[in-house]
Amino acid sequence: METQLPDDFRCPISLEIMSDPVILPSGHTFDRVSIQRWLDSGHRTCPITKLPLPEHPCLIPNHALRSLISNYTLVSPSKLQPCPQPQILISSLTSQSSHVGTKLNSLTHLVRLTKHDSGFRRKLTELGAAPGVLKCVDSDDPSLQEKALSLLLNLSLDDDNKVGLVAEGAINRVIKVLRFGSPDCRAIAATIITSLAVVEVNKATIGAYPDAIQALVWLLISGKGREKKEAATALYAICSFADNRRRAIDCGAVPILISLLDSGLERAIEVLGLLVKCKEGREEMMKVNGSVKVLVSVLRNGSSRGVQYGLFTLNCLCNCCERLCFEAINEGVVEICMGLMEEENEKIRRYTSSLVQTLRENHAFG
């Protein structure tokens, strides 16, 4: 289906069919996920025109284009490959007589159909697909579980589905996978947490589950590269809710994140940038030997986004502890700051200025 859709339906960044098209102030349309990733990386220019954008660009939903993409298959049925009716595919997931192979085939069809089509995702939810999908997530068969998780992730991409999936019991299933699933399944499960946490009310709900944050922290310790990155991303998503920061700190996240940051997982600095906002987080960071050295290393070698969070985190710590100011000076932070004052990124310049001011107020340098 994707290859038959007009090129105008594709995001200029990802070149994939857009599921949530939004209009940039420059007038060009992009898929929300792709342009948000572009902006989060520190870019403040339009990817197409290269013209400057506001510091906080407004992303306006392109409802007309989204509707066109969703309805295109209805007006062009001849261009589609034959596929079983959605209700038949859903029924096979819950039927006692369905073999694993049948369920796997149905899930494969549904994953493909829901990957780029938000209208089809909504239709599946309205048809009551969630219980069948979640039942397959509970499967002991790794292949079936992985495919069911992929479908659950696709369904969670629509904001209208996020609260309903949590209400259907998705979180308990996902937490179990985080603990006992295969590496690929654990990575997808963490990504589902990130997706569901886009809706504010879900952040509180997820954090309230006794083992949710603990499972993500455990994955930071025991997981491989992709699992660690997705777990850190999920923690970042849910820790924008203040109560979850304390829960993550109580689960021992701070020293683990600093260790991962030292090992090159830059996503860890984003989580630390949230945890440092509460007193408990700052106290834990002060206890970790070498934390200042690791943060200064991010300022020296990190990406634009990493440097922003590194500056903010280090400034918060130095504001609370004169000893850390002198540690930062000894690690060469002043020289780094002098260079960062010339950065094009306005936020980096502002955070750099704040850090320099903090160091001066603590008499760390003249």
Side-chain angles (χ1 to χ4, degrees):
M1 179 181 70
E2 181 183 349
T3 58
Q4 300 292 337
L5 293 174
D7 287 341
D8 288 342
F9 291 179
R10 298 179 184 277
C11 173
I13 296 176
S14 68
L15 301 181
E16 294 184 346
I17 303 303
M18 290 183 278
S19 61
D20 188 6
V22 293
I23 305 171
L24 214 55
S26 64
H28 291 276
T29 296
F30 303 86
D31 203 18
R32 184 184 295 275
V33 172
S34 296
I35 193 60
Q36 191 62 60
R37 187 180 297 118
W38 169 269
L39 296 172
D40 288 346
S41 297
H43 297 289
R44 286 301 177 268
T45 57
C46 172
I48 294 178
T49 66
K50 306 304 180 185
L51 294 175
L53 298 171
E55 177 62 25
H56 301 289
C58 180
L59 303 180
I60 303 172
N62 192 333
H63 295 297
L65 181 57
R66 180 170 181 167
S67 179
L68 277 173
I69 295 172
S70 297
N71 294 329
Y72 187 78
T73 57
L74 299 178
V75 299
S76 305
S78 62
K79 296 184 178 182
L80 299 179
Q81 297 296 320
C83 178
Q85 290 295 315
Q87 189 62 64
I88 296 175
L89 296 173
I90 294 170
S91 297
S92 72
L93 302 181
T94 55
S95 173
Q96 296 289 337
S97 60
S98 293
H99 297 294
V100 170
T102 302
K103 293 180 180 180
L104 193 57
N105 184 57
S106 295
L107 287 169
T108 300
H109 275 299
L110 292 171
V111 168
R112 177 175 58 81
L113 292 170
T114 55
K115 186 174 182 180
H116 301 294
D117 191 340
S118 59
F120 192 81
R121 291 195 289 264
R122 288 193 296 273
K123 182 177 181 180
L124 277 190
T125 306
E126 291 166 1
L127 289 172
V133 178
L134 292 174
K135 185 176 181 181
C136 291
V137 169
D138 282 336
S139 172
D140 293 329
D141 185 285
S143 297
L144 191 65
Q145 184 178 72
E146 183 177 346
K147 194 63 72 173
L149 286 165
S150 297
L151 179 54
L152 183 60
L153 176 60
N154 286 355
L155 294 177
S156 75
L157 295 177
D158 278 17
D159 288 354
D160 292 341
N161 289 342
K162 296 181 192 295
V163 174
L165 289 173
V166 171
E168 291 274 6
I171 301 303
N172 269 332
R173 268 54 171 246
V174 169
I175 292 172
K176 184 178 177 182
V177 175
L178 288 173
R179 287 287 196 181
F180 305 111
S182 68
D184 285 340
C185 286
R186 290 199 295 260
I188 299 171
T191 308
I192 291 171
I193 294 287
T194 301
S195 178
L196 294 174
V198 168
V199 177
E200 200 65 28
V201 67
N202 281 352
K203 300 180 198 292
T205 304
I206 294 168
Y209 276 82
D211 298 326
I213 292 177
Q214 182 66 64
L216 290 170
V217 173
W218 178 83
L219 196 57
L220 290 177
I221 300 171
S222 64
K224 304 299 182 183
R226 182 188 171 201
E227 298 163 80
K228 291 178 186 290
K229 183 177 179 181
E230 296 300 342
T233 303
L235 279 174
Y236 177 79
I238 62 179
C239 284
S240 61
F241 181 69
D243 288 354
N244 288 341
R245 296 170 197 162
R246 296 181 181 86
R247 291 171 177 140
I249 293 161
D250 289 343
C251 289
V254 168
I256 297 166
L257 288 165
I258 292 175
S259 176
L260 289 173
L261 182 59
D262 192 31
S263 300
L265 183 65
E266 192 178 78
R267 189 61 54 84
I269 188 58
E270 299 175 20
V271 187
L272 290 169
L274 293 176
L275 302 186
V276 78
K277 293 181 178 181
C278 64
K279 178 183 176 184
E280 296 88 345
R282 293 189 292 273
E283 290 174 348
E284 286 300 309
M285 290 179 207
M286 291 177 197
K287 294 177 185 177
V288 179
N289 290 330
S291 59
V292 170
K293 181 178 181 179
V294 174
L295 292 173
V296 173
S297 178
V298 173
L299 304 189
R300 184 178 289 114
N301 304 311
S303 67
S304 176
R305 185 174 171 86
V307 169
Q308 290 178 40
Y309 278 95
L311 286 165
F312 178 80
T313 303
L314 189 56
N315 187 37
C316 289
L317 293 176
C318 289
N319 255 317
C320 301
C321 181
E322 187 174 313
R323 171 181 61 83
L324 296 186
C325 291
F326 287 99
E327 281 190 33
I329 296 294
N330 291 335
E331 293 295 336
V333 75
V334 175
E335 292 80 2
I336 295 172
C337 285
M338 293 305 102
L340 293 176
M341 292 293 283
E342 306 300 321
E343 274 281 334
E344 291 184 4
N345 189 304
E346 186 273 336
K347 189 174 286 187
I348 287 181
R349 294 198 307 272
R350 177 155 43 88
Y351 285 173
T352 300
S353 179
S354 296
L355 177 57
V356 170
Q357 183 64 30
T358 297
L359 296 173
R360 281 178 175 150
E361 289 174 356
N362 282 279
H363 309 292
F365 80 102

